[in-house]
Amino acid sequence: MAERLDLAGKHIVLGLSGGVACYKAAELTRALVKAGATVQVVMTEAAEAFITAVTMQALSNRPVYTSQWDARPGNNMAHINLTREADAVLIAPASADFIAKLVQGRADDLLSLLCLARPAERVPLLVAPAMNREMWAHPAAQRNVAQLRADGALVLGPAAGDQACGEIGDGRMLEAEELRDELIASFQPKLLAGKKLLITAGPTFEAIDPVRGITNHSSGKMGFAIARAAQEAGAEVTLIAGPVHLPTPPHVHRIDVQSAQQMLDAVLPQAPLHDVFVATAAVADWRPAVMNEHKIKKDGKKLAPSFELTENPDILAAVARLPDKPWCVGFAAESQDLLTHAREKLLRKNVPLIVGNLGPATFGRDDNTLVLVDATGHRELPAGDKLTLARELVAEIARRTAGA
Ligand code: CTP
């Protein structure tokens, strides 16, 4: 897949304070540059004890700033100039000490100085804490982080896990790609702020016996991309997923299920709690009428077993029948006559919007073509990767549900 340029045209000031997690800042710089950003690295003296400015300059392709006395800028005001071109300031890693400095508005080195001097209303401050779990749990650190948030900074992580000191707990800095994605998300317009979205995704698996079942080739990628795009747009997202091999998008609440019946049982109580329901799951239409308790064995006479199928509940139609139903979006994966089938589903399932795609051509792929079909007509979205399409669909849903 072509590299996505989600940060094209963005200028990021990446600040490093002292911590072992500085090693991740090298990868982070590469990831941001690969996503199209220009990166200006600024390091504290403590950061330089963990990683060299030489490395950071090579990766960012720009001279690194380390001192407020740096005489290179014509006006000798690096602390002012550095943020005037910036679209965001990201501190990664942010040590406990550096966070304390931010909270107190202290400004005795270049990085803290530029954070204080940045035009806060247009240059957001993102902070990725990295510290030992006892330091993170300390009331002083928690107080500082709460104040940092109250002052408008976006605090990213930290994650739980193995720490450089050998202990295990909260305080690990997020990984480079997670930080890149958080930064990308921070730039998305918050079109769905305050809205709650419920999404189904992936195939279902209908057991024949304990080791076999009926399923399909749906990868779940489209549904997961919509979950990510909706979360980036400020929505609270619940994702009900059949068996898929995909990581949960950040900040998305995920419920895993296997069968269509389990998916329905998970969806029905959730649906009235959400504003919008997007059914992307490729729900198996039929399931074996009975599940064999034990593995079906060959009978030795070359006779294949036969079993009856029974129709699965239609989850989308069931939600659309609820008295307090959310605004429903269905998908139609077809192998031919896409528009005709999509229109027919719009009516039969009684939903305001059906998103059509040519199924077998898109299963498992990263790109897709979508057609939006509603009661008044249809509109094709330009072909693109699934996340780009998901963002367009999210914008469309936001437009159509505005004021609802
Ligand atoms: N859907 C659902 N529950 C089902 C079947 C489908 O919620 N048991 C939803 C899908 O998630 C999708 C839409 O209904 O949003 C259309 O699914 P599709 O399988 O394409 O349509 P069907 O209703 O199964 O019709 P057909 O099999 O005739 O294509």
Side-chain angles (χ1 to χ4, degrees):
M1 186 179 75
E3 201 64 48
R4 299 181 50 82
L5 290 176
D6 281 327
L7 293 173
K10 300 292 185 201
H11 182 62
I12 310 301
V13 171
L14 175 62
L16 280 65
S17 59
V20 180
C22 276
Y23 79 92
K24 294 186 188 175
E27 280 289 353
L28 174 59
T29 304
R30 288 194 69 207
L32 299 182
V33 169
K34 265 177 112 173
T38 51
V39 180
Q40 175 59 59
V41 175
V42 180
M43 298 170 69
T44 65
E45 195 185 340
E48 285 192 277
F50 292 92
I51 191 168
T52 67
V54 175
T55 299
M56 298 308 293
Q57 174 169 352
L59 291 170
S60 64
N61 204 21
R62 280 169 169 257
V64 169
Y65 282 83
T66 57
S67 163
Q68 70 269 46
W69 312 122
D70 193 319
R72 279 175 293 174
N75 61 359
N76 218 318
M77 292 189 195
H79 68 290
I80 303 290
N81 307 344
L82 283 169
T83 55
R84 293 310 181 262
E85 306 301 317
D87 293 293
V89 175
L90 168 59
I91 309 296
S95 66
D97 180 61
F98 194 76
I99 290 172
K101 282 172 88 166
L102 286 175
V103 167
Q104 291 180 1
R106 282 165 52 200
D108 60 355
D109 66 5
L110 179 59
L111 190 55
S112 53
L113 198 53
L114 76 84
C115 287
L116 195 64
R118 80 186 205 287
E121 71 291 347
R122 69 177 170 80
V123 184
L125 176 64
L126 292 84
V127 176
M131 66 194 75
N132 165 269
R133 68 191 172 104
E134 299 291 2
M135 293 169 75
W136 175 251
H138 195 285
Q142 288 300 310
R143 216 167 36 236
N144 284 341
V145 171
Q147 186 58 52
L148 196 59
R149 285 201 181 97
D151 289 347
L154 188 60
V155 177
L156 309 177
D162 292 338
Q163 302 205 307
C165 51
E167 296 178 5
I168 299 173
D170 286 337
R172 264 176 74 94
M173 188 169 85
L174 295 186
E175 301 302 323
E177 292 188 349
E178 294 173 310
L179 290 175
R180 175 203 58 198
D181 290 349
E182 292 281 1
L183 188 62
I184 290 169
S186 76
F187 287 124
Q188 301 306 313
K190 303 299 171 223
L191 301 172
L192 289 177
K195 298 265 183 187
K196 294 175 93 179
L197 258 79
L198 179 64
I199 301 169
T200 62
T204 63
F205 181 89
E206 312 298 330
I208 295 170
D209 68 18
V211 296
R212 306 180 178 93
I214 302 171
T215 187
N216 60 59
H217 282 307
S218 165
S219 65
K221 283 182 180 171
M222 193 66 227
F224 275 59
I226 294 169
R228 173 174 167 184
Q231 196 282 326
E232 287 178 343
E236 216 179 289
V237 180
T238 307
L239 176 61
I240 300 188
V244 293
H245 301 280
L246 292 173
T248 310
H251 314 294
V252 164
H253 174 53
R254 172 173 174 177
I255 302 171
D256 283 322
V257 297
Q258 293 276 324
S259 66
Q261 186 60 49
Q262 288 171 354
M263 192 174 268
L264 178 74
D265 292 344
V267 164
L268 280 183
Q270 291 286 338
L273 310 175
H274 289 77
D275 302 293
V276 178
F277 176 53
V278 186
T280 74
V283 181
D285 288 318
W286 300 281
R287 66 171 183 274
V290 284
M291 184 197 138
N292 288 276
E293 198 186 333
H294 296 291
K295 185 181 167 191
I296 302 172
K297 305 292 287 178
K298 287 191 280 292
D299 68 352
K301 296 182 215 139
K302 305 260 181 235
L303 261 185
S306 62
F307 40 84
E308 254 182 68
L309 294 175
T310 182
E311 195 168 330
N312 266 328
D314 188 318
I315 300 167
L316 177 57
V319 171
R321 278 194 301 269
L322 293 173
D324 43 2
K325 64 182 175 199
W327 199 82
C328 291
V329 183
F331 266 68
E334 306 294 345
S335 57
Q336 57 177 353
D337 297 333
L338 180 55
L339 279 181
T340 316
H341 288 306
R343 286 225 172 79
E344 180 270 321
K345 276 171 196 176
L346 193 73
L347 296 173
R348 177 160 51 88
K349 305 204 181 207
N350 188 28
V351 295
L353 182 65
I354 289 278
V355 183
N357 62 16
L358 284 172
T362 70
F363 278 177
R365 294 180 53 125
D366 290 315
D367 54 356
N368 204 350
T369 313
L370 297 181
V371 189
L372 307 180
V373 182
D374 65 13
T376 61
H378 72 275
R379 181 165 81 85
E380 199 166 315
L381 296 182
D385 64 275
K386 288 184 176 174
L387 184 56
T388 303
L389 288 167
R391 288 189 182 135
E392 285 188 34
L393 181 59
V394 156
E396 187 72 31
I397 290 172
R399 262 195 300 281
R400 289 171 185 250
T401 58

